[in-house]
Amino acid sequence: MHIGVLGLQGGVAEHLEMLSRLSDETINPIEVRTPPGLRQCDALIIPGGESTALRILLDAAGLTDPISSRMQQGMPVWGTCAGMILLAQKVLYHQNLSLGGMDITVARNVYGRQQESFVAEFPIPELGGPPFPGVFIRAPGVIRTGDGVQVLARSDDQVVACREQHLLVTSFHPELTDDLRLHRYFIHMCTAACAERAH
Ligand code: GLN
């Protein structure tokens, strides 16, 4: 199974490093920068960075439509921070950022500027174990979740992680911690999606 990390901007190396720590003979992390690269992937992580820049680079690389259509066909995709913004069906005040995807509305920079970045711990019951260390860097907020969306975590009453079928979003940066649980969770989502397709 090839799990791609979109390699245009942002926390690319960190996600690849987390995946390589979880790799075995069945998991193969690859960096994706082109449509042929995307075609090799069974799943994709869209890292954090700057959503406006990411969207411009996606358009220039010819990846916007191919990612949207693979997503509609059921390819598992995980968006962290700016990646979450691109995966939200609606982005407050921005009509041209979304790639479609999850039935949520997000607002950019709800926690303020770079200097207001912080780390908060909160439980993610699906993962079990101790609270998760969430690194928030000019993070977006989820301000509406559709009926089919499962809220995986809240921090101070704010929704910070959600899942809808094969799509996962987190407003924080698990790739900047030593905690591999969310990457492991995504790999399980990918394995389940692959198994379903094989039926
Ligand atoms: N504030 C950024 C944006 O709106 C996201 C920040 C991040 O990914 N760490 O795109």
Side-chain angles (χ1 to χ4, degrees):
M1 192 166 63
H2 292 88
I3 301 191
V5 177
L6 183 68
L8 299 178
Q9 201 246 358
V12 182
E14 293 84 353
H15 272 298
L16 286 167
E17 163 68 20
M18 296 295 263
L19 289 176
S20 73
R21 283 164 65 187
L22 291 169
S23 288
D24 54 24
E25 58 285 354
T26 61
I27 306 290
N28 193 4
I30 53 173
E31 186 173 341
V32 173
R33 303 170 72 93
T34 60
L38 180 70
R39 283 196 286 277
Q40 286 180 35
C41 291
D42 301 293
L44 184 70
I45 295 178
I46 304 182
E50 186 64 39
S51 52
T52 47
L54 266 170
R55 179 58 206 253
I56 291 167
L57 294 169
L58 278 168
D59 290 349
L63 277 166
T64 307
D65 293 340
I67 291 177
S68 296
S69 63
R70 287 290 305 279
M71 208 152 60
Q72 273 163 30
Q73 289 158 21
M75 176 177 72
V77 185
W78 175 14
T80 55
C81 204
M84 166 170 119
I85 296 169
L86 296 179
L87 287 193
Q89 274 176 14
K90 286 209 180 98
V91 185
L92 206 62
Y93 306 126
H94 293 272
Q95 259 93 62
N96 302 319
L97 284 179
S98 168
L99 305 176
M102 194 180 285
D103 185 14
I104 55 174
T105 304
V106 304
R108 297 177 66 200
N109 303 328
V110 292
Y111 299 98
R113 296 161 167 260
Q114 188 86 11
Q115 63 205 34
E116 273 110 42
S117 299
F118 61 97
V119 181
E121 297 211 325
F122 44 83
I124 307 184
E126 284 276 308
L127 303 182
F132 199 90
V135 178
F136 292 83
I137 304 171
R138 289 189 308 116
V142 180
I143 57 175
R144 181 196 61 88
T145 52
D147 289 342
V149 174
Q150 181 188 8
V151 172
L152 296 178
R154 286 189 165 82
S155 175
D156 273 342
D157 286 342
Q158 169 76 57
V159 172
V160 294
C162 304
R163 175 171 176 183
E164 187 177 30
Q165 295 171 19
H166 57 289
L167 302 178
L168 177 67
V169 296
T170 52
S171 55
F172 51 94
H173 289 270
E175 78 285 7
L176 298 181
T177 71
D178 256 344
D179 199 317
L180 289 164
R181 284 178 294 166
L182 268 169
H183 286 80
R184 200 175 284 125
Y185 179 80
F186 184 62
I187 289 173
H188 284 151
M189 281 174 58
C190 302
T191 320
C194 270
E196 221 168 89
R197 227 170 303 140
H199 268 222

